[in-house]
């Protein structure tokens, strides 16, 4: 009887230790999957925001800056009047040690300033998303003013599904056209309406006119003060603005009328 009790105690200890190890492994796997999901979400937001800034899109290797040569399945974002180019594409080997691969999504292009990509700046290469499939990990299909993007994780990502991203130029968004890509401040003035582009400072609207402020990114990229109304509204983001006597905020994906 004593021997049986001892054997039972040993088995219970072994099973308990194995169970704890299994729980730890499951938690680690779950945490890794959550991190991958967050990175996918970041990649989606970055792509949509920068595509909204572009004047046009292309997917030909001939449009790549020399610093971005070699990227697979490239998507090229062209700034207004060719002031900048940003390329997204697949690379089979990361620029630094420690990437899991076998492929990464890279962003190659002008760094950002307060008002968006810096015109004329030397392109920088940076990894946006790791652990993508070598075959079809990043595919972009340009159609008119929009693009459909597929991200296919590698099997080492823990079975994450493929992610589909649909984005379009801000100038193609109904009722939210980014009409002034090269302007900051007062961009167009008429007897009844003023059109503005923020540059990080204050926008002083005209109480006798309809003041419309155009932002380059989608609504989710900005934080609005509470209250945010016609008399005063602070929009935090890049670029942000403190708006006095504003009437309408136009984001790349929606409009917001100030009361």
């Amino acid at each position: 009887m004593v021997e049986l009790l001892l054997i039972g105690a040993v088995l219970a200890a072994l099973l308990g230790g194995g169970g704890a190890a299994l729980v730890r492994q499951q938690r680690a796997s779950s945490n890794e999957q959550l991190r991958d999901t967050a990175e996918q979400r970041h990649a989606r937001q970055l792509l949509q925001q920068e595509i909204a800034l572009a004047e046009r899109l292309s997917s030909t290797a001939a449009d790549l800056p020399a610093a971005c040569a070699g990227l697979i399945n490239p998507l090229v974002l062209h700034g207004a009047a060719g002031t900048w180019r940003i390329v997204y594409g697949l690379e089979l080997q990361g620029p630094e040690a420690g990437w899991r691969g076998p492929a990464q999504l890279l962003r190659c292009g002008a760094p950002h300033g307060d008002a968006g990509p810096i015109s004329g700046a030397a392109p920088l290469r940076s990894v946006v998303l790791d652990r993508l499939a070598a075959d079809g990990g990043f595919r972009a299909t340009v159609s008119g003013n929009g693009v459909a993007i597929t991200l296919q994780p590698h099997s080492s990502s823990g079975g994450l599904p493929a992610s589909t991203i649909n984005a379009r130029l801000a100038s193609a968004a109904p009722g939210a056209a980014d009409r002034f890509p090269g302007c900051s401040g007062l961009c167009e003035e008429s007897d009844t309406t003023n059109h503005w582009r923020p540059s990080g400072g204050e926008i002083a609207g005209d109480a006798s006119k309809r003041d419309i402020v155009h932002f380059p990114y989608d609504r989710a990229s900005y934080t609005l003060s509470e209250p945010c109304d016609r008399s005063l509204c602070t929009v935090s983001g890049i670029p942000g603005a403190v708006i006095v006597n504003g009437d309408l905020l136009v984001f790349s994906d929606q409009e917001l009328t100030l009361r």
Side-chain angles (χ1 to χ4, degrees):
M1 180 62 71
V2 173
E3 291 177 351
L4 289 175
L5 290 174
L6 287 173
I7 292 172
V10 171
L11 288 174
L14 289 174
L15 290 173
L22 181 60
V23 168
R24 286 195 297 271
Q25 183 178 5
Q26 289 176 335
R27 285 178 178 173
S29 176
S30 177
N31 290 337
E32 191 169 18
Q33 191 168 33
L34 286 173
R35 186 184 67 247
D36 287 344
T37 302
E39 290 172 354
Q40 283 186 327
R41 185 164 55 249
H42 167 74
R44 174 190 297 272
Q45 292 172 346
L46 181 61
L47 281 160
Q48 290 176 328
Q49 289 173 358
E50 294 203 319
I51 289 169
L53 285 175
E55 185 176 70
R56 68 182 182 90
L57 306 171
S58 66
S59 56
T60 59
D63 287 338
L64 270 66
C68 306
L71 294 184
I72 303 168
N73 297 333
L75 172 65
V76 186
L77 285 55
H78 299 260
T83 52
W84 51 263
R85 276 180 291 174
I86 294 173
V87 182
Y88 285 90
L90 206 63
E91 186 171 73
L92 299 186
Q93 182 177 354
E96 301 177 10
W99 300 110
R100 297 195 181 187
Q104 295 85 31
L105 173 63
L106 261 66
R107 177 195 184 275
C108 178
H112 270 260
D114 291 340
I118 301 173
S119 300
L124 299 177
R125 295 168 72 104
S126 57
V127 175
V128 176
L129 196 61
D130 191 20
R131 302 172 71 183
L132 293 176
D135 183 14
F138 174 79
R139 293 190 181 278
T141 303
V142 177
S143 177
N145 291 321
V147 59
I149 298 168
T150 300
L151 297 173
Q152 179 63 59
H154 186 252
S155 57
S156 65
S157 65
L160 287 174
S163 176
T164 302
I165 301 170
N166 292 301
R168 58 184 174 182
L169 307 179
S171 57
D178 185 2
R179 298 165 50 190
F180 312 103
C183 171
S184 293
L186 183 58
C187 301
E188 184 178 282
E189 183 179 8
S190 71
D191 292 339
T192 59
T193 306
N194 290 334
H195 291 273
W196 302 82
R197 281 293 303 272
S199 58
E202 180 177 308
I203 292 176
D206 189 329
S208 65
K209 295 182 180 180
R210 181 172 169 81
D211 288 278
I212 303 173
V213 186
H214 298 258
F215 292 88
Y217 299 122
D218 59 12
R219 169 64 184 85
S221 302
Y222 297 90
T223 301
L224 276 58
S225 62
E226 293 184 9
C228 170
D229 52 34
R230 182 176 281 116
S231 62
L232 179 65
C233 182
T234 300
V235 182
S236 302
I238 300 178
V242 177
I243 305 166
V244 180
N245 289 326
D247 294 282
L248 181 67
L249 308 183
V250 177
F251 301 97
S252 66
D253 61 342
Q254 62 179 267
E255 299 180 359
L256 177 63
T257 300
L258 301 181
R259 305 296 181 183

